[in-house]
């Protein structure tokens, strides 16, 4: 039977039943019609699937732990998330899992969000491209994905009920595009709606989100699954576009669906549509699952190591790195022995293959290890401190392995501050005071304040690098690999500098996104704030030179594209990979409701380069790349005029700037009445000529009336800018009214 015939053959109760899970990880089967159950399992960076025969949903099989989202994103390489996805897809299929619960792409609104370690970025463009790669990888192996958590689930505090209050432009410009890109480019089989409310309605019953945007605007073809337990009003949810409830409510909500159809509150055709969408995927999944998959744990571990190497970010280096053979090196900090490599919660992978300092020993490095401080708590032991400081002083280089203990960041809770444990900050400062070649290696899922940053020679951030962490860190520290990760988020100097410092996590009921579109670098750039390390930053042991940036044409039509090319050369002595980043800055001067962001990432490419080698990197831009979202027209919009195309090594290390003229003809609607300030009318090409004529007449009249020298011309100009026809009539009386009302009509006509 095909899906249509199956839906026709199902009873009402069976249809309602198919819209919720049978248990924590399975959909329901309908044996009499041959409909199989499928199994879904976490997660984004490793397979967390329940052991056969176990009755504990959290008792998972052993699996490979790849770099968590924070680290994978630092690779700035969708080809890499694709490879990781493909490996995960093979592991999932070999383990009988048909849908993998990832990727997780929520925007890092605040560094405090406890789940940031799972997410990719503060920038929606980067997050979307990486997610598309991941989805394509998993799905190329015949296993589905779920992109989560849709949408605006940017904090853990009260995540089950908090109302994320976001204006339309910000929602579309910052919080939705990662999902949009992934849906349009990669068609994930499923989307997971989040727990929270969005502008008043639970995501699980939010029709604008689940149907109008996701399906109608973006063309999503799969089905929507709830986050675990995220359903509020099940009937409203089905009508809004939530097809599958997980893990199911033991039948409670199925019965509500049956009753709603019977009493006419829910059209059975709506339920049929939901079942159709679910069955489309179930049948496809079951069919693909028939082809057995094999995976090679050793090869996947090697891939995890390679990915971790690609994701390490060298934040600072005055020369202590790379370490050199023959140097006397002290390794300090328990993270050397017990690196933190993944986060807590639903993404937690059961792995036994984590590498650590053993990699250094296997590679024959001569290092002395002193624990210094523990990895799991903030505890200071003066004797240990002294041992560490003495060893550091006696060595050629001191490498301190620092990081956030598990208890400091996890799914389920947000951080309250951005600090490392005091014991770590303290010991780093003391070691740096006696050893100029001090290196800090960081194992954290999100940025931390680094008060010692200017006092140490080098900082290498490994984020949460997965089970290959030890081998990857060893290769990067000792120069066997060149660090080529870049920061997918700004590292601020201090928590108080962050965009939503005053609003995060809200009052427990509502999270007001008052910073609007100023998230991440958009905020720090707009305020010209110093940061610890900017978005896109990452050093290398080699160097890159940019030259010859050029367009194929420097004018873009509304239906056109422009290609930008730049030559990048590896000018150093070591093989490396540069991430060429492209930012767009709107220089049109056109007014922007909600504010103009200084620049936005609109392209990036990672290129491998041998010493001396150069490559031409090309980017193709479309009008959408110049656009912001306009709430006036509920659509993306680029004003005609000038745009800067900035190409460089990071958001704050731009190497080439080109000016593009956009010849778009569309202008935003202008709503005009007697109270519209003249400045607005003067800024708009449609109304400017009429107003200019009026003003020149007025100026001539005024020059006869005296009053020169009353105020400086600049102030006078500003006063005119704010003046309205209403004011002019009030000052000028019936004569002015008789003159101005026809002018107003003329102006209104000009924008019709
Ligand atoms: C998490 C999801 C996860 C699900 C199943 C939820 O609590 O938010 O990300 O996939 O549990 O483990």
């Amino acid at each position: 039977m095909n899906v249509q015939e199956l839906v026709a053959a199902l009873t009402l109760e069976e249809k309602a039943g198919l819209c919720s899970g049978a248990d924590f990880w399975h959909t329901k089967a309908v044996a009499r019609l041959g409909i199989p159950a499928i199994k879904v399992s976490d997660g984004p960076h490793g397979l967390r699937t329940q052991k056969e025969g176990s009755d504990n949903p959290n008792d998972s099989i052993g699996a490979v732990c790849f770099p968590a989202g924070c680290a994978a994103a630092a690779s700035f390489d969708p080809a890499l998330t694709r490879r990781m996805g493909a490996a995960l897809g093979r592991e999932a299929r070999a383990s009988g899992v048909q849908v993998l619960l990832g990727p997780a792409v929520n925007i890092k609104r605040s560094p405090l969000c406890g789940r940031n370690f799972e997410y990719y970025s503060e920038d929606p463009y980067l997050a979307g491209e990486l997610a598309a790669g991941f989805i394509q990888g998993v799905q190329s192996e015949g296993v589905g994905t779920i992109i989560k958590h849709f949408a605006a689930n940017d904090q853990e505090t009260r995540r089950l009920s908090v109302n994320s209050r976001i204006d339309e432009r910000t929602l579309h410009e910052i919080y939705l595009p990662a999902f949009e890109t992934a849906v349009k480019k990669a068609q994930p089989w499923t989307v997971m709606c989040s727990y929270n409310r969005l502008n008043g309605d639970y995501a699980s019953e939010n029709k604008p989100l689940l149907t109008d945007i996701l399906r109608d605007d973006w063309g999503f073809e799969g089905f929507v699954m709830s986050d675990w337990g995220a359903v509020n009003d099940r009937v409203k949810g089905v009508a809004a576009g939530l097809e599958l409830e997980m893990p199911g409510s033991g039948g409670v909500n199925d019965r509500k669906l049956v009753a709603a159809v019977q009493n006419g509150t829910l059209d059975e055709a709506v339920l049929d549509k939901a079942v159709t969408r679910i069955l489309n995927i179930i049948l496809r999944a079951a069919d693909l699952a028939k082809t057995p998959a094999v995976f090679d744990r050793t090869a996947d571990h090697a891939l995890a190591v390679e990915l971790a190497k690609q994701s390490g970010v060298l934040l600072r280096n005055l020369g202590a790195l790379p370490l050199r053979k023959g140097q006397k090196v002290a390794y300090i900090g328990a993270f050397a022995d017990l690196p933190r490599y993944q986060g807590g919660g639903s993404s937690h992978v059961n792995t036994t293959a984590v590498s650590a300092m053993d990699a250094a020993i296997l590679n024959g490095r001569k290092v002395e290890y002193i624990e210094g401080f523990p990895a799991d708590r903030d505890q200071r032991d003066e004797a240990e401190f002294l041992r560490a400081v003495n060893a550091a002083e006696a060595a050629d280089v001191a490498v301190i392995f620092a990081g956030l203990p598990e208890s400091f960041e996890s799914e389920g809770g947000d951080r309250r501050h951005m600090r490392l444990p005091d014991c770590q900050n303290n010991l780093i400062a003391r070691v740096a005071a006696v050893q100029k070649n001090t290196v800090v290696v960081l194992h954290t899922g999100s940025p931390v304040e680094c008060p010692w940053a200017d006092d140490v020679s080098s900082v290498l951030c490994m984020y949460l690098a997965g089970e290959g962490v030890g081998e990857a860190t060893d290769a990067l520290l000792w120069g066997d690999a060149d660090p080529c990760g870049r920061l997918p988020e700004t590292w601020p100097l201090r928590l108080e500098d962050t965009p939503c410092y005053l609003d995060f996590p809200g009052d427990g009921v509502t999270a007001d996104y008052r910073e609007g579109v100023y998230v991440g670098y958009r905020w720090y750039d707009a305020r010209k704030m110093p940061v610890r390390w900017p978005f896109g930053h990452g050093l290398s042991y080699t160097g890159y030179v940019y030259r010859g940036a050029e367009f194929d044409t420097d004018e873009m039509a509304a239906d056109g594209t422009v290609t930008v090319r730049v030559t990048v050369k590896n000018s150093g002595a070591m093989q490396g990979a540069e991430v060429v980043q492209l930012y767009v800055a709107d220089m049109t001067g056109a007014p922007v409701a909600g504010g103009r962001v200084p620049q936005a990432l609109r392209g990036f490419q990672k290129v491998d380069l041998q010493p001396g080698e150069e490559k031409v990197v090309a980017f193709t831009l479309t009008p959408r790349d110049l656009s912001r979202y306009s709430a006036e027209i509920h659509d993306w919009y680029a004003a005609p005029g000038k745009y800067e195309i900035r190409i460089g090594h990071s958001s704050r290390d731009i190497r080439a700037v080109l000016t593009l003229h956009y010849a778009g003809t569309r202008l935003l609607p202008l709503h005009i009445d007697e109270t519209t300030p003249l400045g607005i009318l003067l800024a708009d090409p449609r109304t400017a000529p009429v107003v200019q004529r009026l003003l020149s007449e007025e100026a001539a009249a005024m020059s006869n009336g005296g009053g020169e020298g009353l105020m400086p011309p600049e102030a006078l100009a500003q006063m005119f800018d704010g003046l309205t026809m209403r004011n002019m009539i009030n000052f000028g009386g019936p004569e002015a009214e008789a003159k101005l009302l026809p002018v107003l009509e003329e102006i209104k006509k000009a924008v019709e």
Side-chain angles (χ1 to χ4, degrees), residues 338-597:
L338 300 165
R340 188 149 161 271
Y341 61 95
Q342 66 169 331
S346 59
S347 67
H348 202 269
V349 180
N350 177 11
T351 177
T352 47
V354 186
S355 59
M357 214 166 45
D358 49 332
I361 294 159
L362 282 175
N363 287 330
R365 322 288 190 200
K366 298 250 165 344
V367 295
E368 182 193 0
Y369 169 61
I370 304 97
E371 184 179 293
F373 50 75
D376 60 350
R377 59 196 183 280
D378 187 359
Q379 181 188 292
R380 185 172 158 168
D381 174 335
E382 191 51 33
E384 252 324 279
F385 265 37
L386 279 178
R387 265 172 25 92
V389 173
N390 290 339
E393 197 169 12
D396 298 317
V397 186
V399 184
I400 306 176
F401 291 78
L404 287 173
E406 281 271 354
S407 59
F408 276 53
E409 63 177 346
S410 169
E411 177 177 346
D414 294 319
R415 287 191 293 167
R416 296 283 174 254
H417 61 78
M418 242 179 77
R419 294 189 304 277
L420 285 170
D422 288 345
C423 65
Q424 297 188 26
N425 282 334
N426 206 291
L427 187 56
I428 294 170
R430 283 174 64 177
V431 166
V434 298
Q435 174 54 267
K436 71 175 181 3
N437 289 324
T438 294
V439 177
V440 177
V441 176
L442 289 170
H443 297 293
T444 76
S446 35
V448 289
E449 287 166 2
C450 303
W452 35 259
D454 292 336
D455 305 324
V456 300
S457 177
S458 311
V459 183
L460 174 68
C461 172
M462 294 304 294
Y463 279 114
L464 303 183
E467 66 177 48
V469 57
E471 288 126 297
T473 310
D474 184 70
L476 295 172
L477 284 177
W478 291 86
D480 290 350
D482 183 48
C484 60
R486 303 288 182 262
L487 285 182
E489 63 197 321
T490 309
W491 279 50
L493 284 167
R494 40 177 219 148
L495 176 64
E496 292 78 359
D497 291 348
T498 58
C500 57
Y501 173 64
L502 296 177
D503 294 307
F504 187 93
D507 61 10
V509 178
T510 305
D512 249 318
Y513 286 45
R514 282 196 294 179
E515 69 287 357
V517 292
Y518 294 101
V519 174
Y521 64 87
R522 289 164 168 81
W523 165 266
Y524 302 105
D525 288 351
R527 297 176 71 93
K528 295 196 169 61
M529 288 168 85
V531 297
R532 181 63 74 194
W533 292 294
F535 177 86
H537 168 75
L539 304 172
S540 146
Y541 296 147
T542 185
Y544 301 100
V545 176
Y546 286 61
R547 67 171 178 83
E550 60 179 12
F551 292 126
D552 56 350
T553 158
D554 56 10
E555 171 128 346
M556 188 198 280
D559 57 353
T561 60
V562 162
T563 301
V564 192
R565 287 192 176 76
V566 66
T567 303
V568 185
K569 180 175 178 174
N570 180 346
S571 57
M574 186 172 176
Q575 186 263 338
E578 169 66 328
V579 178
V580 183
Q581 301 166 39
L582 184 152
Y583 297 83
V584 172
D586 174 352
M587 312 299 281
T588 61
V592 180
R596 186 191 311 279
V597 298

